[in-house]
Amino acid sequence: MHNNVVGTCEFMCPTTEIQMRERENLLHTFEVLESREKMKRPRADRSKAVKEFTRSAAGRSDPRPSDLRPTSVLVKTVDYLLERIVPKQDVKWHKIYDFVADRLRSVRQDIVIQRLAGPEICLVFIKCIRFYLYAAYRLCEVPVSLFDPHLNGRQAIECMKASLLHFSSLEVPLLAELQELESLYLLFNLGSLDALMHVYESSADVRSCARVQLALAVNETYLAGNYVRFFRLVKKLHFLDLCAVHRHIPQMHNLALNRMSVAYNSKIHGYPMEHLRPLLMLDSTDKVAELCMRHNLLVKEGQIYFLKAAWKESGLANPVKWIFCQEKDRKTAQTSMQLVQLLLIGGSTAVS
Amino acid sequence: MGAFRICASDNRAQSADSKKWGMLNLINQLFKIYFKINKLHLCKPLIRAVDNSNFKEHFSLSQQVTYKYYVGRKAMFDSDFKGADDYLSYAFQHCHIMSRRNKRMILIYLTPVKMLLGYMPSVSLLQKYDLLQFADIVSPVRQGNLLQLNEALIKHEAFFIKCGIYLILEKLKIITYRNLFKKVYLILKTHQLSVDAFTSALRIMGVDDIDNDEAQCLIANLIYEGKIKGYISYQHQKLVVSKQMPFVPLTSLK
């Protein structure tokens, strides 16, 4: 049993790695010295190079302290990524995602290897989570070859689970961030009994705050199949909470139409599309029609004919940037500065 | 776990000496652990092993009671309420009369299961086993009083969460709606019930921010689950119910 390794690397990227990647021409565009970027073998910009994620392989010797970054450097690294890389406008965002997600993974790896803990580490975790959840929303309409929501989701969940442990072992609790974390965890894992039990077993301080109460209410409506209240509540969520719950929305659309196909079953009478549209927060009656037709429900002259016998199960549609989401995005994360603030400090615990 | 595997795979010894006799006791211990660490899915292979054995009925009664207690709780978790009822009822009935504490523990899980199947516990039973927390739940569910149910759930939150039954009790909400709506039907004495009536009933019961759309949604869910026989007419804003027993008796549901 050896003692924890203590990292001594002062830079965002260890020198040995910079030298190696310069040599092998493996620097990322974001990491090169501007004056030299057009050259065949660009040089690294020390202030921009960030340690890559590499899998710890069996048989490899333990990492040297000079390759590991201590807490203060990790904090600086994460802040650099979120402040400087995330808001870049000159590159397609999925490429930004690839870079940032990889470098954050390396940050988390340094944390694990050194078994770091404490409030600054908790804040590092929560910033990572905010990034993953925001990315899940921002890139939801991008083809899966460019962004895989499953892989992103896995990183997010891994990070959330680690955070929950770290937060629970703090001597002085970070209440606001913990409330945020519990709420995001519950919403991202909507319907999960585990996540729900976890919230119920947390302290009253956490559970009773408005943000977590709203998340619990959303979860309850989801489990109860109360599609009307579900969307009403979702509209009230903080933007990050909306990003967390976003991927579950198609399931609720599905459920609503399924319930209605049984309850409004009629060969003669229809249900007006324009009435359903706002209940399900869909963008237009065309979108309502599209959804109905996916499930083989007849749509004619602005009316939906709910027929139990006609209903066809169909794979879930992918979540998209519905107008109500875009509106919240505009209010919260429109400008670069707003986006950075969102990721660095997450916004207040007050319900928007 | 290793000990369990040795017992379970003892195929060679004769029945009387077989290590298989140790199986159930070990399984019960493992169940205890799995429940404590909240990894219920690990129970499945153990349950399968017992189901496959032909010694099932011959283990001692106390071991069988313990076994059925845990399997019943697992069934609750899997929303198999009929199964849970069978197991937990067996455990309760066969639990030694002097083991008050054990009987109470079984009852903590049996009560919500029975309630979801439509059987309400008597106050005297709850009093006998010091489980009056449930009494605060029974009356609002019967009356269809959502607000009072919520208050009761919050009042005894700590107890229900500690026992791990808080979420099951949440399912009683749909039964509460059903009971409330049935009252509306009995009052109006017609098969064509205006949705307004249901919305008003919910408002009277303290659900302030409800409207016709949400009331229809709640009704839709009850129809979907087979608890109400009928359909909703959007045109006329009415729930049209079957002329025969539109509110399916809870005790007859799966």
Side-chain angles (χ1 to χ4, degrees):
Chain A
M1 183 67 205
H2 42 79
N3 293 323
N4 290 344
V5 192
V6 177
T8 56
C9 174
E10 289 167 33
F11 302 102
M12 295 196 292
C13 187
T15 314
T16 43
E17 182 178 316
I18 291 190
Q19 287 166 350
M20 185 276 284
R21 290 206 273 137
E22 269 177 343
R23 215 170 40 236
E24 309 291 329
N25 205 11
L26 289 171
L27 291 170
H28 192 284
T29 353
F30 296 159
E31 296 171 313
V32 301
L33 219 55
E34 268 175 40
S35 54
R36 307 277 220 114
E37 60 189 30
K38 295 284 166 60
M39 308 196 78
K40 263 207 208 134
R41 281 265 204 89
R43 298 291 311 278
D45 181 338
R46 263 288 145 111
S47 68
K48 293 186 190 171
V50 185
K51 185 177 174 191
E52 272 187 331
F53 173 74
T54 44
R55 294 189 179 286
S56 354
R60 249 219 231 151
S61 54
D62 288 337
R64 293 169 295 222
S66 55
D67 286 342
L68 294 168
R69 297 162 289 179
T71 301
S72 56
V73 179
L74 293 173
V75 170
K76 235 177 43 181
T77 306
V78 172
D79 286 350
Y80 165 78
L81 291 167
L82 298 181
E83 282 176 28
R84 300 305 185 147
I85 307 292
V86 163
K88 267 171 172 294
Q89 311 265 14
D90 52 343
V91 183
K92 288 230 159 95
W93 212 77
H94 72 265
K95 296 199 172 150
I96 292 179
Y97 171 83
D98 286 340
F99 181 77
V100 175
D102 177 87
R103 299 314 194 254
L104 286 180
R105 211 166 169 196
S106 167
V107 164
R108 283 162 46 207
Q109 195 179 43
D110 278 13
I111 293 176
V112 167
I113 293 174
Q114 297 172 77
R115 300 190 203 215
L116 298 172
E120 297 118 320
I121 296 295
C122 287
L123 292 176
V124 161
F125 274 128
I126 200 141
K127 289 171 187 170
C128 292
I129 292 167
R130 290 179 190 138
F131 171 76
Y132 295 129
L133 295 179
Y134 172 72
Y137 168 73
R138 175 135 180 196
L139 297 172
C140 67
E141 295 179 359
V142 161
V144 79
S145 54
L146 297 177
F147 171 74
D148 186 338
H150 279 116
L151 291 180
N152 180 57
R154 274 224 303 267
Q155 293 299 312
I157 291 180
E158 223 175 80
C159 211
M160 286 173 170
K161 290 198 168 152
S163 307
L164 288 170
L165 285 172
H166 274 82
F167 269 87
S168 69
S169 56
L170 284 178
E171 280 188 21
V172 181
L174 284 168
L175 192 57
E177 283 77 15
L178 183 54
Q179 289 166 344
E180 180 185 352
L181 176 60
E182 294 279 4
S183 162
L184 294 174
Y185 182 60
L186 185 58
L187 291 169
F188 196 60
N189 293 298
L190 205 62
S192 145
L193 212 56
D194 252 350
L196 192 53
M197 275 320 298
H198 186 274
V199 175
Y200 276 123
E201 286 166 5
S202 62
S203 76
D205 284 344
V206 173
R207 228 181 327 125
S208 60
C209 78
R211 190 166 185 170
V212 174
Q213 286 291 309
L214 182 56
L216 282 169
V218 170
N219 190 61
E220 194 191 312
T221 58
Y222 181 83
L223 288 171
N226 188 339
Y227 45 89
V228 172
R229 189 169 284 249
F230 175 82
F231 285 102
R232 285 208 180 125
L233 293 176
V234 161
K235 235 193 320 209
K236 293 191 190 169
L237 289 172
H238 181 286
F239 179 57
L240 274 173
D241 287 336
L242 178 60
C243 292
V245 88
H246 184 249
R247 64 182 187 160
H248 299 286
I249 291 176
Q251 177 75 335
M252 211 47 173
H253 284 150
N254 213 27
L255 182 147
L257 290 179
N258 193 11
R259 299 293 187 265
M260 293 177 88
S261 71
V262 173
Y264 293 86
N265 185 43
S266 164
K267 294 197 183 106
I268 348 165
H269 299 298
Y271 187 109
M273 279 205 292
E274 185 43 49
H275 190 86
L276 189 57
R277 189 199 59 77
L279 290 181
L280 299 183
M281 308 266 260
L282 290 165
D283 291 348
S284 65
T285 46
D286 282 344
K287 293 293 176 186
V288 177
E290 219 176 271
L291 205 54
C292 290
M293 293 195 284
R294 260 182 99 94
H295 295 285
N296 209 26
L297 295 173
L298 176 62
V299 167
K300 206 167 81 157
E301 286 160 17
Q303 300 275 320
I304 307 168
Y305 291 89
F306 284 113
L307 210 54
K308 190 163 64 176
W311 170 266
K312 188 180 72 148
E313 265 314 326
S314 139
L316 289 176
N318 282 330
V320 296
K321 291 180 178 170
W322 293 285
I323 290 177
F324 80 93
C325 298
Q326 290 182 41
E327 280 168 1
K328 221 172 258 280
D329 185 359
R330 250 196 300 277
K331 267 196 263 191
T332 328
Q334 175 79 322
T335 64
S336 297
M337 202 173 79
Q338 279 180 310
L339 175 58
V340 170
Q341 291 294 70
L342 181 75
L343 299 175
L344 288 182
I345 59 177
S348 66
T349 50
V351 166
S352 61
Chain B
M1 194 65 211
F4 165 71
R5 282 201 200 96
I6 293 175
C7 287
S9 48
D10 181 13
N11 287 314
R12 291 195 285 172
Q14 283 200 337
S15 293
D17 294 331
S18 170
K19 290 194 186 65
K20 286 200 170 167
W21 287 111
M23 224 168 81
L24 205 59
N25 194 359
L26 283 171
I27 287 181
N28 287 337
Q29 298 304 319
L30 284 167
F31 278 163
K32 218 175 185 173
I33 295 171
Y34 294 155
F35 270 80
K36 259 248 148 80
I37 61 171
N38 203 15
K39 293 228 185 263
L40 268 64
H41 62 277
L42 293 173
C43 296
K44 220 165 93 174
L46 300 178
I47 297 175
R48 225 184 306 134
V50 173
D51 282 344
N52 288 336
S53 91
N54 38 18
F55 283 54
K56 251 196 311 218
E57 308 303 317
H58 304 289
F59 286 105
S60 78
L61 190 60
S62 69
Q63 283 180 25
Q64 285 198 58
V65 165
T66 310
Y67 176 76
K68 297 222 161 143
Y69 165 74
Y70 283 113
V71 178
R73 282 184 62 187
K74 170 122 195 342
M76 267 176 92
F77 191 80
D78 295 335
S79 297
D80 169 17
F81 299 115
K82 207 90 243 304
D85 184 15
D86 291 338
Y87 291 118
L88 291 169
S89 294
Y90 178 100
F92 187 70
Q93 282 157 20
H94 292 86
C95 180
H96 197 282
I97 193 87
M98 298 301 283
S99 303
R100 220 185 218 167
R101 197 176 139 269
N102 285 348
K103 275 186 111 87
R104 180 174 185 267
M105 267 168 63
I106 300 170
L107 209 49
I108 286 175
Y109 299 97
L110 185 54
T111 306
V113 168
K114 285 273 196 211
M115 286 176 79
L116 280 170
L117 293 171
Y119 300 97
M120 301 292 145
S122 70
V123 178
S124 58
L125 177 68
L126 296 174
Q127 211 157 29
K128 180 173 174 192
Y129 288 98
D130 185 25
L131 286 174
L132 284 170
Q133 296 91 333
F134 288 107
D136 289 339
I137 306 267
V138 170
S139 113
V141 170
R142 265 217 191 94
Q143 293 169 6
N145 191 335
L146 237 325
L147 201 64
Q148 219 183 13
L149 175 63
N150 277 330
E151 282 169 5
L153 285 174
I154 292 174
K155 180 169 162 205
H156 301 295
E157 202 177 50
F159 172 72
F160 293 141
I161 290 177
K162 194 166 136 261
C163 299
I165 51 175
Y166 191 88
L167 298 174
I168 308 280
L169 293 172
E170 288 264 323
K171 292 191 203 256
L172 287 172
K173 286 187 182 168
I174 198 162
I175 305 230
T176 312
Y177 286 128
R178 177 256 183 212
N179 289 342
L180 178 64
F181 292 166
K182 183 173 178 183
K183 283 193 167 171
V184 172
Y185 162 70
L186 291 171
I187 291 170
L188 294 179
K189 297 203 213 320
T190 163
H191 295 281
Q192 297 189 6
L193 303 151
S194 135
V195 173
D196 281 331
F198 294 106
T199 313
S200 306
L202 287 161
R203 290 215 182 107
I204 290 171
M205 284 306 192
V207 187
D208 297 319
D209 54 351
I210 193 122
D211 65 357
N212 275 4
D213 283 320
E214 193 177 344
Q216 283 182 46
C217 171
L218 296 172
I219 296 170
N221 270 293
L222 286 168
I223 296 175
Y224 180 83
E225 294 200 7
K227 294 187 161 73
I228 297 180
K229 289 207 287 228
Y231 67 91
I232 305 174
S233 160
Y234 180 82
Q235 238 80 347
H236 303 110
Q237 290 285 297
K238 284 197 156 92
L239 165 65
V240 180
V241 294
S242 146
K243 296 215 164 83
Q244 290 207 331
M245 265 213 307
F247 284 82
V248 180
L250 290 168
T251 55
S252 70
L253 293 170
K254 52 142 185 86

